[in-house]
Amino acid sequence: MEMKTIYLLIPLMPLFGAIIAGFFSRAIGRAGAHSVTILGVLVSFLLSLLVLKDVLAGNTFNGPVYTWLESGGLKMEVGFLIDRLTAVMLVVVTFVSLMVHVYTIGYMAHDEDNWPADSKAGTHSYQRFFSYISLFTFSMLMLVMSNNFVQLFFGWEAVGLVSYLLIGFWSTRPTAIYANLKAFLVNRVGDFGFLMGIGLVAAYAGSLDYATVFGKSKELATMTEAVTGWPLITAICIGLFIGAMGKSAQFPLHVWLPDSMEGPTPISALIHAATMVTAGIFMVSRMSPLFELSETALSFVIVIGSITALFMALIAIVQTDIKRVVAYSTLSQLGYMTAALGASAYSAAIFHLMTHAFFKAVLFLGAGSVIIAMHHEQDMRRMGGLRKYMPVTFATVLIGAIANAGLPPFAGFFSKDSIIEAVQLAHVPGAGFAYAALLAGVFVGGFYSFRLVFFTFFGEERFRHAPAHDTHDAHGHDDHGDHGHHGPVEPHESPKVVTVPLILLAIPAIASGWLIGPMLFGGYFGDAIFISQEHHGMAHMQEEFHGVIPMILHGLTSVPFWLALAGAGTAWFLYIARPELPGIIKAKAGVLSTILEKKYGFDEFNEWFFAGGARLVGRGLWKGGDQVLIDGVAVNGSARVVGWVAAVVRLFQTGHIYQYAFSMIIGVFVLLTLWFNRV
Amino acid sequence: MSSHLLSLAIWVPIVGGIIVLALGSERRCAARWVSLAFAIAGFLVTIPLFTSFDAAKSGMQFVEMGSWIPRFNVNYFLGVDGISVLFVLLNAFITILVVLAGWEVIEDKVAQYMAAFLIMSGLMNGIFSALDAVLFYVFFEASLIPMYIIIGVWGGPNRVYAAFKFFLYTLLGSLLMLVALIYLFLESGGSFNILDWHVLRLEMGPQVLIFIAFLMSFAVKVPMWPVHTWLPDAHVEAPTGGSVVLAAIALKLGAYGFVRFSLPITPDASHYMAPFIITLSLIAVVYIGFVALVQADMKKLVAYSSISHMGFVTLGFFIFNQLGVEGALIQMLSHGFVSGAMFLCIGVMYDRVHSRQISDYGGVVNTMPKFAAFFLFFAMANSGLPATSGFVGEFMVALGAIKFNFWVGLTAATTLVLGAAYTLWMVKRVAFGAVANHHVAELTDINGREFLVLALLAIAVLAMGVYPFPFTDVMHASVDNLLKHVAVSKL
């Protein structure tokens, strides 16, 4: 098979599966839907491996598929750029997607219970779910395979659409349809910046093709924006990065991601942890030839990333909903990746993207496995002691948590440590702050990861107590209407379709870190990533790197390791040794814990200022502008003037001949006067 | 080349309309089928216009010329270029859908209803293909009458007020346009040929006055802020078919006028007045976006959304670059599909519940899942999602605007957020959630006819979003030619 055909098949197979499962759901039934979609993604995965092999052999591809549009000298194409960066993304996306597809068979097996009995919206919901996740896979693949900004934007928005569809999958739940609208709109705010960035590229580079634009990057770096006078390259990069802030949920556009947990757990793993949210990280890495030329943009990136990394991790420590802990942990990890981008450590960011995709998918799918066992209970305060009942889930979640905390020799250690070191070596303004924030984040990360494990799998079996609904926290999201069958539950391990993907994902969550040698320091990325000469952090690290074992040994004596361990130890102390302490601390640290529980008040502020403000402005313009000024004064006003003139004119039409004769005489007199006085 | 395709495109629907009228109001079934036959025939005769159109040529094609009123040198002069040919097709396509959409819904005076749409369709084809100013004016004014009747006879409770407002608003502008046409006739030494006027030299003073006269007429039709308030009222009172034609075709007439008259005839005045028009366009995008957000009536919401989208069209024309102008034309076509579909969707719900208030709905997806899928699809297109036609025009105009001026681009791009906010918030409240009341609980999903109409539009929206190349390919030469006219001073 020709390589070009393979490239085409990779995105088209999932699209084909999505179409079949979506439009022929009744005809093919449940088994048909999951078979056809899984087959599609499986083929994509195998072909992606082939592409990886081909790319490793030194081959790359950059070419069009078809011309989408041509106007004003801009040729907009659908086309593929296959290089080493793309190949990593292809393998990660299709592998995690494949695992999630399989897992979904188990997770959605009883989805009919999630719908009101008389609702037709739940008809074939199982097939529809498979259709959506395959459609997502298609969109994500189009995004990472793109060789131009237009297709990038298409993939960007298409993954946003599927995310919207899936967060609101259970469309009868008020919280789900609130969350999906919020996610879409916050992402659109990011896309607004993204579009401005793309617009500036089109206007000044005269092309939307990556290769052409990157070829002109030096030229762009010397220009200023004509109207604003801003340095052009900085304006472009910050615009593009605002897009990344939306999609990759960076502060302050992070608010949509925690709410996205309203969606079924498989998509939390696939979309809101492993793949879609990393699109921003991928995009900035892809744009490294542009970002490298703007210190200001890099500085902005590193500060935003490190703020996200620390402050979102802090929220994770007060969450009691198991999925939300993982969600905030995802936000924090995305912050680490973003900080790496700001430190010009693109390869480290992509490396962490990859390891994170594996261990975070494990954590989410493991959380999902717990949720099934607990009959859709998500509150960790009603779990505990589950390790006896669910050994496989426990083991895999533990692996995920260790990796997430960044302890050696698990995958997260290598990638996180590289990021911290790269940030330490970075010189862009804000790097010092970023380094401090990331270090602090390591302690917090160790703490919340193990808190989750201890809270869920160790200690008292709290689910044996009758569920006390009055203690339900105010998240609102667990009002699923399916609490009816909550008796004391007898948890048991999930079926094979759930545990096998967990195991298959746990393996790279342990082992993928060992790829650090070739990926970071073996020149794997080659030309796919550009690093300016002045940013020598990665080069410096490469000199220091002497293999995996020395790195682990060195890691054992470094600060991050001890911080992570201290975090884990604190979690052990608070949740195993002295379980009564968290309550006391919470009571003592009233204000602080309220701030964290309120998530710094972003939701309230946005709801009040942006949502409320927009409605206020809208009503003001409508009532004040349209109704009072335009219709009231202008339209009806002119009607009134006409009426008034008519009323005056009517006075002359009395029907009395002598009045007409009198006006005639006056008229003649006026005309004669004018005629005689003409110049 | 002598061809009568354009005449056929105009007269087939009009003759069809007259035949349907002659059938009388008793024979409802016959009226429907005959109307459908003529609507399809009307569409079929326009297809060769597209397939045998020579995209390399910038001039008029399928030209027909005959003397009409020799004393004033008025001719029956028809022709289309790469700009107008697409609107003839769009119009003929929408006519089929409108006939189908009114099939069982209209039970009162079926023949007259169908005839009004057929005749209007022919007249609008006349507008898009007339190259003689008098002929244009006659079609332009005559097309008001069927629409006026449609709103006035089959409209809602407040239909008479809305019909009058619509008629007077648009008539005021038309009279000023007539003055401008007569001035141009005298100035050009007795020619009503629009193409002659394109090369007519004019001083700045007259240019500005002519521009303003045209503006008064076209701005009302578009409609541009602040002469837009007739549109929400007209939509609310119009029957579904009326709304569809109003949004899909009638709104394009004003914008088409800018391209055919204002820009090429008064290029210097166009440049001079461009900042003013751009400002009005941006106000339309932002101001109307906010107003749409707070509408409680679905039709009003989509009507305001139309005004906001048309702001993109006028913006695209007056930034004078190819991306802007072509983007605006694409936006016009796309808006024809998308807004038409949105009004059809609202019509589907209105036929069942007899309410357009958002608060009367909620959880429609539970009883009408197929319909909800279409509704969400068109809503996404309305929010400019890539791979739908709604994205293409907006994207092109936004790129053109950023190139023209950063701040203009930035202001226009806010539609990305506003458009999604007002559209999807409406969808959330109408389609999603639990079943809100017994009306929603008793809803039945769309039938085969409704499915067909919505599916045809969905295919059009998707096709244009995935592969817009043929559409812009047709218009390149003509738009280049137009931009050349605009770039050359006539002083």
Side-chain angles (χ1 to χ4, degrees):
Chain A
M1 212 178 342
E2 211 188 329
M3 284 316 282
K4 209 175 161 184
T5 321
I6 292 178
Y7 303 145
L8 263 178
L9 281 177
I10 289 175
L12 289 185
M13 288 307 288
L15 178 65
F16 174 74
I19 291 171
I20 300 285
F23 287 121
F24 304 99
S25 50
R26 191 183 319 174
I28 61 174
R30 287 183 165 216
H34 69 232
S35 309
V36 71
T37 50
I38 287 174
L39 189 71
V41 177
L42 178 68
V43 171
S44 281
F45 171 60
L46 296 175
L47 293 176
S48 299
L49 288 178
L50 244 159
V51 168
L52 180 67
K53 190 172 150 252
D54 186 56
V55 164
L56 284 172
N59 299 320
T60 56
F61 175 85
N62 181 14
V65 177
Y66 72 91
T67 303
W68 182 71
L69 185 78
E70 201 175 349
S71 177
L74 272 181
K75 196 167 187 178
M76 307 186 199
E77 286 173 330
V78 172
F80 294 147
L81 169 61
I82 310 293
D83 63 1
R84 296 181 164 211
L85 180 57
T86 310
V88 178
M89 295 301 292
L90 288 183
V91 173
V92 171
V93 170
T94 50
F95 176 65
V96 178
S97 175
L98 180 63
M99 292 302 111
V100 167
H101 270 77
V102 175
Y103 176 92
T104 299
I105 298 176
Y107 194 85
M108 297 300 274
H110 303 290
D111 190 46
E112 58 278 5
D113 299 343
N114 292 314
W115 298 88
D118 53 348
S119 167
K120 284 190 226 153
T123 320
H124 305 309
S125 69
Y126 182 87
Q127 288 93 314
R128 196 151 48 87
F129 191 84
F130 275 96
S131 171
Y132 286 172
I133 52 178
S134 269
L135 184 65
F136 167 78
T137 311
F138 159 75
S139 312
M140 189 72 199
L141 291 170
M142 288 299 278
L143 191 162
V144 300
M145 293 173 82
S146 170
N147 74 344
N148 64 78
F149 287 89
V150 183
Q151 189 181 332
L152 175 73
F153 195 73
F154 159 76
W156 198 260
E157 293 260 298
V159 291
L161 165 75
V162 191
S163 165
Y164 169 87
L165 292 173
L166 283 166
I167 296 170
F169 186 76
W170 288 316
S171 62
T172 52
R173 297 179 184 173
T175 48
I177 58 175
Y178 173 81
N180 76 342
L181 184 63
K182 179 172 168 183
F184 198 86
L185 293 183
V186 173
N187 267 293
R188 272 292 170 102
V189 174
D191 295 351
F192 169 72
F194 199 47
L195 179 66
M196 292 308 291
I198 293 177
L200 286 174
V201 168
Y204 288 88
S207 170
L208 286 173
D209 176 64
Y210 290 161
T212 318
V213 174
F214 296 163
K216 289 186 182 166
S217 60
K218 294 266 173 356
E219 206 179 309
L220 294 174
T222 61
M223 292 182 178
T224 50
E225 211 287 318
V227 182
T228 54
W230 296 336
L232 180 64
I233 196 93
T234 302
I236 289 175
C237 290
I238 289 185
L240 294 175
F241 182 66
I242 290 172
M245 285 163 69
K247 195 98 326 184
S248 292
Q250 296 295 299
F251 167 90
L253 298 183
H254 64 275
V255 289
W256 65 271
L257 186 68
D259 285 11
S260 76
M261 297 302 128
E262 290 302 331
T265 303
I267 63 116
S268 305
L270 175 63
I271 301 184
H272 303 121
T275 58
M276 183 188 85
V277 288
T278 60
I281 312 299
F282 163 78
M283 186 273 290
V284 176
S285 303
R286 181 53 92 205
M287 301 298 153
S288 61
L290 301 179
F291 277 83
E292 276 300 286
L293 301 177
S294 171
E295 292 284 299
T296 317
L298 287 177
S299 179
F300 183 60
V301 172
I302 204 169
V303 169
I304 293 289
S306 50
I307 289 176
T308 312
L310 175 60
F311 289 94
M312 295 304 123
L314 286 172
I315 299 180
I317 64 180
V318 298
Q319 293 297 312
T320 51
D321 179 314
I322 186 168
K323 275 182 79 178
R324 295 210 172 218
V325 175
V326 189
Y328 279 102
S329 131
T330 306
L331 282 171
S332 170
Q333 300 299 325
L334 288 166
Y336 275 90
M337 297 177 213
T338 306
L341 299 172
S344 299
Y346 304 97
S347 52
I350 295 293
F351 185 47
H352 195 54
L353 183 163
M354 181 183 83
T355 60
H356 175 259
F358 300 133
F359 68 69
K360 193 50 58 72
V362 168
L363 281 177
F364 260 122
L365 296 183
S369 173
V370 171
I371 293 168
I372 308 174
M374 303 306 292
H375 294 288
H376 289 270
E377 177 61 75
Q378 302 190 184
D379 194 331
M380 294 191 295
R381 286 171 301 185
R382 281 192 290 281
M383 296 176 185
L386 289 176
R387 68 181 188 285
K388 287 188 295 232
Y389 305 97
M390 322 181 66
V392 180
T393 304
F394 165 65
T396 49
V397 168
L398 183 64
I399 290 167
I402 298 174
N404 193 49
L407 291 171
F410 288 52
F413 161 74
F414 297 97
S415 50
K416 209 185 222 180
D417 223 42
S418 312
I419 288 176
I420 292 167
E421 209 176 323
V423 169
Q424 191 185 6
L425 293 169
H427 296 295
V428 290
F433 163 77
Y435 180 59
L438 295 192
L439 273 187
V442 172
F443 173 80
V444 185
F447 179 74
Y448 71 67
S449 303
F450 282 91
R451 173 177 174 267
L452 181 148
V453 174
F454 296 144
F455 220 167
T456 310
F457 293 101
F458 289 82
E460 197 192 347
E461 296 176 0
R462 292 179 297 275
F463 52 84
R464 300 221 175 271
H465 310 315
H469 276 271
D470 49 336
T471 62
H472 249 206
D473 53 19
H475 288 314
H477 57 272
D478 31 17
D479 182 23
H480 288 168
D482 56 358
H483 282 169
H485 47 77
H486 267 191
V489 286
E490 192 60 42
H492 52 82
E493 186 56 273
S494 299
K496 283 246 165 18
V497 282
V498 170
T499 52
V500 169
L502 275 175
I503 295 166
L504 288 179
L505 280 163
I507 295 167
I510 301 172
S512 62
W514 293 61
L515 294 171
I516 185 169
M519 263 188 89
L520 254 60
F521 306 123
Y524 167 79
F525 285 107
D527 299 337
I529 283 171
F530 167 79
I531 297 178
S532 154
Q533 301 262 306
E534 295 127 53
H535 303 141
H536 37 63
M538 287 307 289
H540 185 76
M541 283 160 66
Q542 186 167 354
E543 286 162 26
E544 304 270 295
F545 181 77
H546 303 296
V548 170
I549 304 295
M551 181 168 174
I552 293 173
L553 293 176
H554 177 258
L556 295 179
T557 63
S558 68
V559 184
F561 171 72
W562 291 103
L563 282 174
L565 213 57
T570 314
W572 174 82
F573 185 70
L574 289 179
Y575 290 91
I576 303 278
R578 303 282 301 277
E580 74 282 3
L581 271 182
I584 298 170
I585 294 172
K586 191 179 163 184
K588 287 259 157 85
V591 182
L592 199 63
S593 89
T594 310
I595 290 174
L596 290 179
E597 274 168 9
K598 290 267 171 198
K599 308 147 201 163
Y600 312 116
F602 275 100
D603 286 340
E604 283 79 1
F605 177 78
N606 291 341
E607 186 62 43
W608 169 73
F609 186 79
F610 290 107
R615 283 194 291 264
L616 198 70
V617 169
R619 251 190 300 277
L621 291 176
W622 183 38
K623 303 268 181 201
D626 269 29
Q627 292 188 345
V628 174
L629 279 177
I630 297 174
D631 270 357
V633 177
V635 177
N636 297 347
S638 26
R640 259 200 300 280
V641 169
V642 171
W644 179 78
V645 169
V648 172
V649 171
R650 208 156 46 228
L651 292 178
F652 295 101
Q653 317 211 340
T654 52
H656 299 293
I657 299 292
Y658 62 91
Q659 284 187 356
Y660 291 169
F662 179 68
S663 354
M664 234 167 83
I665 290 164
I666 300 248
V668 170
F669 178 71
V670 169
L671 283 175
L672 283 176
T673 315
L674 288 173
W675 191 69
F676 281 123
N677 290 310
R678 73 186 193 280
V679 188
Chain B
M1 186 180 96
S2 99
S3 134
H4 296 288
L5 284 172
L6 287 174
S7 281
L8 285 172
I10 296 170
W11 296 106
V12 164
I14 293 180
V15 169
I18 293 166
I19 291 174
V20 172
L21 273 182
L23 285 172
S25 36
E26 292 310 305
R27 279 176 266 179
R28 289 183 192 173
C29 203
R32 287 174 188 137
W33 285 104
V34 172
S35 305
L36 183 62
F38 273 99
I40 292 174
F43 179 62
L44 290 179
V45 297
T46 62
I47 288 176
L49 289 175
F50 188 73
T51 50
S52 55
F53 187 86
D54 184 356
K57 281 192 201 151
S58 65
M60 293 294 162
Q61 305 187 27
F62 308 103
V63 173
E64 290 175 46
M65 174 71 127
S67 186
W68 182 20
I69 311 171
R71 185 162 168 4
F72 294 107
N73 196 13
V74 173
N75 294 305
Y76 179 78
F77 182 24
L78 302 174
V80 285
D81 61 0
I83 294 170
S84 46
V85 65
L86 293 170
F87 294 101
V88 175
L89 259 91
L90 173 72
N91 181 24
F93 176 68
I94 294 289
T95 305
I96 301 178
L97 300 186
V98 167
V99 169
L100 282 174
W103 203 256
E104 299 141 18
V105 180
I106 299 295
E107 292 175 337
D108 186 30
K109 306 192 190 78
V110 178
Q112 288 89 331
Y113 177 86
M114 296 291 180
F117 280 102
L118 284 172
I119 292 170
M120 187 159 54
S121 164
L123 294 173
M124 290 190 177
N125 277 341
I127 299 172
F128 289 121
S129 45
L131 294 177
D132 183 280
V134 174
L135 190 62
F136 175 87
Y137 190 77
V138 168
F139 282 132
F140 199 73
E141 293 309 307
S143 72
L144 279 178
I145 299 166
M147 181 54 86
Y148 176 73
I149 292 172
I150 288 164
I151 296 176
V153 175
W154 291 274
N158 222 347
R159 57 182 182 266
V160 177
Y161 167 74
F164 266 110
K165 199 171 177 183
F166 164 71
F167 195 76
L168 290 178
Y169 235 126
T170 45
L171 195 69
L172 171 79
S174 304
L175 290 175
L176 284 165
M177 179 168 74
L178 185 63
V179 174
L181 296 182
I182 292 169
Y183 178 86
L184 285 166
F185 171 72
L186 298 172
E187 198 66 14
S188 65
S191 168
F192 276 116
N193 183 337
I194 297 170
L195 301 179
D196 286 348
W197 293 355
H198 285 186
V199 291
L200 180 67
R201 298 196 85 77
L202 287 168
E203 292 300 315
M204 194 62 177
Q207 272 202 36
V208 171
L209 289 177
I210 292 169
F211 183 90
I212 290 173
F214 280 134
L215 177 67
M216 295 293 278
S217 173
F218 299 145
V220 167
K221 287 256 177 178
V222 167
M224 294 173 71
W225 188 89
V227 287
H228 63 278
T229 58
W230 64 271
L231 186 71
D233 283 325
H235 270 308
V236 164
E237 299 305 327
T240 302
S243 280
V244 172
V245 172
L246 196 56
I249 315 296
L251 296 196
K252 308 301 161 346
L253 301 177
Y256 174 73
F258 280 117
V259 188
R260 189 58 81 225
F261 289 90
S262 308
L263 293 182
I265 295 176
T266 61
D268 303 288
S270 298
H271 279 285
Y272 177 70
M273 298 289 278
F276 176 65
I277 304 290
I278 289 171
T279 308
L280 292 187
S281 308
L282 292 177
I283 292 176
V285 172
V286 178
Y287 171 116
I288 298 294
F290 277 110
V291 172
L293 197 61
V294 295
Q295 296 306 311
D297 181 312
M298 286 189 273
K299 262 196 163 177
K300 274 201 172 167
L301 194 151
V302 179
Y304 277 111
S305 148
S306 284
I307 301 166
S308 177
H309 282 114
M310 292 307 286
F312 256 79
V313 173
T314 45
L315 173 65
F317 287 152
F318 282 87
I319 56 181
F320 306 116
N321 57 38
Q322 204 187 15
L323 267 173
V325 174
E326 292 189 352
L329 292 168
I330 292 283
Q331 171 83 343
M332 284 161 72
L333 290 171
S334 158
H335 180 261
F337 297 131
V338 177
S339 68
M342 289 300 284
F343 282 116
L344 282 167
C345 283
I346 296 169
V348 164
M349 288 187 278
Y350 183 81
D351 291 341
R352 288 161 172 75
V353 180
H354 296 287
S355 167
R356 291 179 311 262
Q357 298 300 310
I358 294 173
S359 55
D360 285 342
Y361 292 88
V364 168
V365 67
N366 295 301
T367 41
M368 304 176 75
K370 274 185 227 153
F371 167 75
F374 278 116
F375 191 40
L376 182 61
F377 174 78
F378 292 121
M380 281 292 172
N382 202 43
S383 329
L385 193 84
T388 66
S389 63
F391 168 70
V392 187
E394 267 180 32
F395 186 64
M396 291 168 76
V397 175
L399 291 191
I402 294 169
K403 193 173 182 175
F404 173 78
N405 180 310
F406 182 83
W407 295 115
V408 171
L410 186 97
T411 314
T414 53
T415 193
L416 219 54
V417 182
L418 283 172
Y422 61 69
T423 316
L424 295 181
W425 191 33
M426 171 180 75
V427 172
K428 171 183 180 266
R429 288 176 291 167
V430 171
F432 297 144
V435 172
N437 54 48
H438 71 276
H439 289 298
V440 176
E442 288 155 13
L443 284 174
T444 49
D445 211 341
I446 45 177
N447 59 30
R449 177 184 56 84
E450 290 163 328
F451 186 92
L452 175 71
V453 172
L454 293 176
L456 283 173
L457 277 167
I459 291 167
V461 167
L462 204 58
M464 199 171 158
V466 173
Y467 193 47
F469 185 81
F471 296 93
T472 49
D473 199 41
V474 166
M475 59 177 72
H476 282 322
S478 303
V479 170
D480 273 343
N481 190 38
L482 171 70
L483 286 170
K484 243 177 265 159
H485 268 295
V486 181
V488 177
S489 172
K490 284 187 165 185
L491 295 177

